[in-house]
Amino acid sequence: MNTGKNNIKTKSLILATALGLTGSMASHAAVLVDGTVNNFSATESHDDVTVTNGGTLNLIGGALTLNQTSPSNNAGKFFINNGSLVNFSGGVHTINERIDTAGATSTIRITGSAATINVHQQQTFTANMDFLFDGAGISTFDSDSRLGFGSSTITIDASAYTGPAATFVLVDTELFSDTYENNGGGFGTIGTIIAPSGFTATFDQSLFDGDDDLGFTGEITLTLTQIAPEPSSLALLGMGVALLSATRKRKLLNK
């Protein structure tokens, strides 16, 4: 775990990143967010990223690329440790090595539908995941390999959604027969799920963990279904329309 790269080069990178700047000084260096808040909107590539000690990395735009630096791209190089937060809300971000979480529970948050998130796989995934919908929906946490969430908790707040009934893919992994057919299980704890007004929300991870030859998709989804009005409500609505029509008709006759 490479949390000690707090040298002059990295300090300069932190300042440049906080300002949303790019430059050769920042290329292929380490991003270290140690107990601070960093709003990232640059277009940069790096060899490792560490968010630790309650730090927050807000990926609000641009493109953060974590380079592949190991032969099988299975080295832990994206660290989210000790109660920290990584929030994807915009931009196009590609994590080509493993996500590694340790220490006090951290959080990966997906905010809104404006981000494109491409990750490889997890290592010791203990971070929880939050999904906060905007009016259009939610971005997908997309993996080209496997994600095992173990004892992690997922929470979903879709209350801001204003669109029609739909199914949203929250998590999507690639399944290869006899290779990545086992995702290591879905979320062990399903936390609070908030549906928009007038909708019900159905969370489904039943097709997440298993061989694609057996019909598994590697997806975790949320389906929002509009609530049909009760028959009594429809009857009252019909009576109201009839009364309004009769009132207008009387007014016209009395003119």
Side-chain angles (χ1 to χ4, degrees):
M1 179 171 160
N2 197 1
T3 58
K5 292 189 176 181
N6 195 11
N7 52 28
I8 294 175
K9 188 174 183 180
T10 303
K11 288 181 179 177
S12 300
L13 170 61
I14 293 172
L15 177 61
T17 304
L19 296 175
L21 303 177
T22 58
S24 59
M25 178 177 60
S27 295
H28 306 293
V31 173
L32 173 62
V33 181
D34 189 350
T36 60
V37 177
N38 189 314
N39 296 319
F40 186 98
S41 59
T43 298
E44 298 174 356
S45 61
H46 301 283
D47 288 343
D48 61 76
V49 175
T50 299
V51 187
T52 191
N53 295 326
T56 297
L57 176 61
N58 289 314
L59 298 170
I60 61 177
L64 173 63
T65 299
L66 180 69
N67 301 314
Q68 178 180 344
T69 55
S70 66
S72 59
N73 67 326
N74 285 338
K77 291 290 185 176
F78 193 91
F79 301 101
I80 313 170
N81 298 333
N82 300 324
S84 298
L85 168 68
V86 173
N87 179 31
F88 294 88
S89 63
V92 179
H93 308 292
T94 304
I95 312 302
N96 288 314
E97 294 281 1
R98 283 182 176 177
I99 298 171
D100 193 346
T101 60
T105 302
S106 298
T107 301
I108 295 175
R109 179 171 297 153
I110 316 300
T111 302
S113 57
T116 299
I117 308 161
N118 300 299
V119 303
H120 179 50
Q121 60 178 232
Q122 104 299 339
Q123 180 180 10
T124 319
F125 197 103
T126 57
N128 295 326
M129 292 197 74
D130 297 342
F131 290 85
L132 305 179
F133 281 57
D134 60 16
I138 196 72
S139 301
T140 299
F141 192 74
D142 197 351
S143 166
D144 67 7
S145 182
R146 67 183 294 275
L147 296 170
F149 297 106
S151 60
S152 298
T153 298
I154 184 171
T155 61
I156 305 167
D157 184 352
S159 59
Y161 179 67
T162 58
T167 295
F168 299 91
V169 178
L170 306 177
V171 175
D172 188 11
T173 65
E174 292 295 327
L175 295 178
F176 309 103
S177 297
D178 303 319
T179 303
Y180 293 123
E181 64 186 39
N182 184 355
N183 267 311
F187 289 93
T189 302
I190 311 304
T192 303
I193 299 178
I194 303 175
S197 178
F199 287 80
T200 59
T202 303
F203 176 80
D204 186 3
Q205 58 180 355
S206 63
L207 297 180
F208 177 64
D209 188 14
D211 193 333
D212 57 349
D213 287 345
L214 300 177
F216 288 85
T217 63
E219 294 180 347
I220 296 174
T221 63
L222 185 78
T223 298
L224 297 177
T225 305
Q226 287 181 302
I227 300 172
E230 295 290 338
S232 58
S233 300
L234 292 174
L236 288 174
L237 179 62
M239 290 173 60
V241 171
L243 181 59
L244 180 61
S245 178
T247 301
R248 288 180 175 175
K249 186 175 182 180
R250 282 197 299 271
K251 287 182 178 180
L252 290 173
L253 293 174
N254 291 332
K255 284 185 177 180

